[in-house]
Amino acid sequence: MTCETFFNNMNGCKDASLNHNMKEGGINGSETVTIRQVSSNSMMSYLVFADDNSLTGSSLGTSQADITVTDGTNTVKETIPAFAEDTVAGARYWLAGCVQIVGE
């Protein structure tokens, strides 16, 4: 099964929803994807990435984006790595990793 939950399809996956689209970025809020019915979705894996869909051009490298994954007890936070000289100009995506639900 393949599906996408993102700014243009905020309820694209069964039991997953995006709360809102941060169109201007910045530290004034966050986008939150909530996965419900955890026990019935334990066979799923979730690709986690940030997409620079800004209208003003490439700003991912200076975004200081971070991704936090939590189950309410345990929390893991990753911040976008600094761009290096060999980073492709105009990079639009940061692939942070995958999440798989284990247990309840």
Side-chain angles (χ1 to χ4, degrees):
M1 176 173 143
T2 301
C3 63
E4 293 180 73
T5 298
F6 66 107
F7 73 93
N8 205 27
N9 194 7
M10 295 172 72
N11 294 297
C13 300
K14 181 181 181 289
D15 298 325
S17 61
L18 174 65
N19 67 337
H20 68 274
N21 178 22
M22 288 294 297
K23 295 177 182 177
E24 297 179 20
I27 60 172
N28 297 323
S30 63
E31 296 180 354
T32 301
V33 174
T34 301
I35 301 169
R36 297 173 303 288
Q37 306 298 331
V38 173
S39 60
S40 64
N41 287 302
S42 62
M43 76 299 277
M44 304 299 235
S45 295
Y46 300 87
L47 177 67
V48 181
F49 64 94
D51 175 4
D52 178 2
N53 62 349
S54 65
L55 300 175
T56 59
S58 179
S59 61
L60 188 61
T62 58
S63 69
Q64 299 178 338
D66 63 65
I67 294 175
T68 303
V69 177
T70 184
D71 64 3
T73 302
N74 300 302
T75 301
V76 176
K77 181 177 179 178
E78 293 293 329
T79 302
I80 189 168
F83 279 22
E85 288 181 19
D86 61 348
T87 301
V88 177
R92 178 174 170 178
Y93 298 98
W94 167 38
L95 173 58
C98 293
V99 173
Q100 184 173 24
I101 297 170
V102 178
E104 291 189 33

